[in-house]
Amino acid sequence: MKLTATGVKNAKTAEKSYKLSDGRNLYLFVATNGSKYWRSDYRFAGKRKTLALGIYPDVGLGEARRRHQLARETLAKGIDPSQEKKAKRSETRAASSNSFKAVAEEWWGKKMADKSHS
């Protein structure tokens, strides 16, 4: 049975962590501390893997379904969704470290290392 926005919102904590399934391997993982995580299980190269899709309420039900569908499309192309996610994250970090501010601060640190504050 598909989840509803109200069902996700009203999911309560329990003694043990549990999963609320939305179908097609998308589920809401409810931890014992009350945190709610969107997850998707899939198989790639014969191994079972889990992809984190976001944290509720930052990522709602509709957005989680959209992210899950994108991951399924990526998997259909023969690409591991978690590896693609890691690659995008590292590209973003590399781009931010090569910004004008980062370069200017590095230059300033090198040029002013042997100078006094006055």
Side-chain angles (χ1 to χ4, degrees), residues 13-14 17 30-37:
T13 60
S17 300
V30 182
T32 56
N33 64 2
S35 300
K36 300 174 185 178
Y37 305 96

Side-chain angles (χ1 to χ4, degrees), residues 15-118:
E15 293 249 344
K16 292 175 128 183
S17 300
Y18 64 96
K19 301 175 184 179
L20 294 174
S21 177
D22 189 50
R24 300 181 73 174
N25 297 325
L26 172 66
Y27 59 91
L28 182 72
F29 180 78
V30 182
T32 56
N33 64 2
S35 300
K36 300 174 185 178
Y37 305 96
W38 291 109
R39 303 264 173 88
S40 174
D41 289 338
Y42 65 97
R43 293 188 72 77
F44 187 79
K47 294 184 180 179
R48 182 189 169 277
K49 296 187 172 193
T50 301
L51 180 67
L53 300 173
I55 301 172
Y56 182 83
D58 297 335
V59 176
L61 178 60
E63 178 65 15
R65 286 177 177 162
R66 188 186 68 76
R67 290 181 184 185
H68 175 66
Q69 184 59 37
L70 288 174
R72 289 178 58 84
E73 290 169 4
T74 302
L75 193 59
K77 294 176 187 173
I79 302 168
D80 186 355
S82 65
Q83 291 299 322
E84 183 179 355
K85 184 178 174 182
K86 287 178 186 177
K88 284 182 181 180
R89 189 179 310 137
S90 66
E91 285 175 16
T92 303
R93 285 184 186 147
S96 67
S97 67
N98 199 17
S99 68
F100 178 79
K101 181 179 179 181
V103 173
E105 288 175 349
E106 181 183 350
W107 175 85
W108 183 262
K110 287 179 181 178
K111 283 293 194 179
M112 297 301 173
D114 60 340
K115 309 288 187 222
S116 67
H117 290 285
S118 61

